[in-house]
Amino acid sequence: MFEMDEATLTSMGAQITTKEIMQQPDLWEDTLKIYEDNLEAIQEFLAKARALGGARRTRVIFCGAGTSAYVGDTLVPYLCRVGDNEAFEFAPVATTDVVCAPLDYVRPEDPTVMVSFARSGNSPESMAAYERVGQVAKGLLYLNVTCAPEGRLAQESEDDERAFTLLIPRANDKGFAMTGSYSCMLLLSALIFDQASIEDKRTWVARAAQMGRNVIAREPEVKAWLDRDFDRVTYLGSASFSGLAREAQLKILELCAGRIATSFDSSMGYRHGPKSFVDDRTLVFDFVSNDPYTRQYDLDILNEIKGDEIAMATVGVQQRTGSDFEGENFSFDGDGLLPEAYLALPYVMFAQTVAINASIKVGNTPDTPSPTGTVNRVVKGVTIHPFSL
């Protein structure tokens, strides 16, 4: 896919999505510049967010729908280790949850920062969640991380003095599936809340971009697994990579329009029933952690499934550490191990490469994968019901 010319990709209905997967390393470098260009304003916002809680921690909720929700799922475990946890309490909360049950997820007495992730900012839940949290939380700030300057979220929050909006316009994917919008919103929010030095952040982004370009160059290795006669794919991971696994399985589900069955779970959680999904036509991928303690559990489930001889292929997606899975691997070399929020960037490019090639394999068109139109790029048919306290 990555070596085909534009005319061929257009004839396959894959030109937009292919381009948007491939451009991500450049977008990550752009996102770092956006962070640096807005660093003073970001620091001022974080100071206000810390002060919002007074003697209490400020609750930071990361909100989105679908892929945008999985940004928070991927990010929060990492921030619980490296963020300012004396000032902030981090939690992922899907907009689809907060809209339908606001009081289950937001408490009036909690000082709250709502971080809204949105590719377009035009989904019905984006503004409804913004409004519901505003109705419930008494002490509130908004941080909008979105890719569309013209979207409702960016436009309608512009005059709200509680709101701070950061835009990643080049990551506003035009294809059906979110690719660069997911990885860039993840990266920008990691840069904002990660307490590491700016020098470390620059190093990690540069290394992630190099690894992303490595995925592009090694597409034939990925495609070799997909040339097998499979009809199921499962993704596993631990901590942040459990959230990433959910996004990875959604990508193949979306681009294949359900023609390939998918599942996801944490590496340890998979034994508790979901492992029943695996049969001799299943590809199992595990995003292996660089944390030496956590990594043991990823390797355990890989070795277990391989030893059971129940899957068509059991593959470790990993950065080489010396304690590697001895079965089939997609391994990144490099001069330093990436922290999980940054390693998630090339990992998700691997999953997107799997998804677009699988879509072509089943005869689908990745740019417009829903043949019936029942699933749309921007969600339709949602009724937002009135809410009052």
Side-chain angles (χ1 to χ4, degrees):
M1 301 297 295
F2 298 151
E3 295 181 353
M4 293 180 181
D5 60 60
E6 185 171 337
T8 302
L9 290 169
T10 300
S11 71
M12 299 166 68
Q15 185 269 332
I16 296 171
T17 307
T18 301
K19 176 185 175 182
E20 290 175 344
I21 293 172
M22 292 180 67
Q23 71 181 0
Q24 286 174 101
D26 293 338
L27 293 183
W28 301 337
E29 293 166 345
D30 287 352
T31 300
L32 175 64
K33 186 174 188 306
I34 290 169
Y35 169 73
E36 292 181 332
D37 288 347
N38 289 276
L39 187 54
E40 184 176 348
I42 289 168
Q43 290 174 337
E44 290 176 0
F45 179 84
L46 291 176
K48 288 170 60 178
R50 290 184 179 96
L52 191 66
R56 301 179 57 188
R57 289 197 297 172
T58 297
R59 190 162 185 258
V60 182
I61 56 173
F62 295 94
C63 301
T67 289
S68 295
Y70 307 154
V71 175
D73 291 338
T74 308
L75 179 65
V76 165
Y78 177 69
L79 293 183
C80 286
R81 178 180 298 202
V82 305
D84 184 355
N85 288 280
E86 292 186 5
F88 300 127
E89 176 190 350
F90 301 106
V93 180
T95 55
T96 45
D97 290 331
V98 85
V99 168
C100 69
L103 296 175
D104 288 358
Y105 298 96
V106 182
R107 297 192 306 174
E109 64 271 21
D110 286 343
T112 301
V113 172
M114 178 185 183
V115 183
S116 292
F117 295 122
R119 171 170 61 175
S120 70
N122 291 324
S123 70
E125 298 94 344
S126 291
M127 287 312 300
Y130 189 100
E131 293 165 3
R132 295 295 173 267
V133 174
Q135 286 177 275
V136 175
K138 295 176 181 177
L140 176 65
L141 292 172
Y142 295 106
L143 173 58
N144 303 318
V145 180
T146 181
C147 305
E150 74 286 355
R152 284 188 63 203
L153 181 63
Q155 291 291 315
E156 296 185 22
S157 64
E158 190 172 9
D159 296 327
D160 191 336
E161 63 182 13
R162 300 168 299 176
F164 175 46
T165 298
L166 288 168
L167 297 166
I168 321 172
R170 285 190 63 206
N172 187 11
D173 304 310
K174 305 304 179 187
F176 176 89
M178 291 176 63
T179 52
S181 50
Y182 168 85
S183 62
C184 288
M185 290 192 293
L186 171 63
L187 174 58
L188 184 54
S189 50
L191 293 169
I192 290 168
F193 289 100
D194 190 338
Q195 295 192 100
S197 70
I198 186 67
E199 290 78 15
D200 280 344
K201 292 174 182 178
R202 288 171 180 155
T203 297
W204 295 337
V205 172
R207 192 169 296 149
Q210 180 183 19
M211 292 165 67
R213 294 181 179 110
N214 185 249
V215 173
I216 295 169
R218 295 169 62 193
E219 183 189 15
E221 294 178 44
V222 179
K223 193 172 181 298
W225 285 302
L226 304 179
D227 287 339
R228 304 183 190 185
D229 187 22
F230 73 98
D231 60 12
R232 296 183 175 202
V233 174
T234 195
Y235 280 99
L236 304 174
S238 301
S240 286
F241 298 147
S242 177
L244 178 63
R246 188 171 188 180
E247 165 60 12
Q249 70 84 33
L250 176 65
K251 219 46 47 194
I252 194 168
L253 184 67
E254 287 179 322
L255 293 186
C256 295
R259 298 178 194 177
I260 293 174
T262 61
S263 74
F264 73 94
D265 212 314
S266 66
S267 293
M268 287 197 76
Y270 206 55
R271 295 182 181 89
H272 294 264
K275 187 181 168 189
S276 304
F277 178 84
V278 180
D279 63 15
D280 60 4
R281 296 185 67 190
T282 305
L283 304 180
V284 177
F285 299 104
D286 193 302
F287 298 119
V288 180
S289 175
N290 278 343
D291 179 88
Y293 180 75
T294 305
R295 185 181 189 86
Q296 297 172 97
Y297 296 99
D298 298 324
L299 298 180
D300 285 349
I301 192 65
L302 282 166
N303 285 315
E304 180 178 312
I305 294 174
K306 179 176 179 287
D308 289 340
E309 298 183 345
I310 54 175
M312 176 168 284
T314 308
V315 182
V317 183
Q318 61 187 5
Q319 196 174 4
R320 294 187 189 276
T321 70
S323 58
D324 300 332
F325 175 51
E326 295 182 358
E328 297 183 71
N329 288 293
F330 188 92
S331 296
F332 294 97
D333 293 315
D335 295 330
L337 299 182
L338 284 179
E340 57 191 328
Y342 303 88
L343 185 57
L345 306 179
Y347 275 7
V348 82
M349 275 192 68
F350 171 89
Q352 293 162 356
T353 303
V354 169
I356 195 168
N357 279 281
S359 181
I360 296 300
K361 181 183 177 75
V362 300
N364 215 11
T365 51
D367 293 345
T368 53
S370 179
T372 62
T374 53
V375 183
N376 302 281
R377 180 180 179 276
V378 178
V379 171
K380 299 178 181 179
V382 178
T383 300
I384 303 298
H385 298 282
F387 170 79
S388 59
L389 289 171

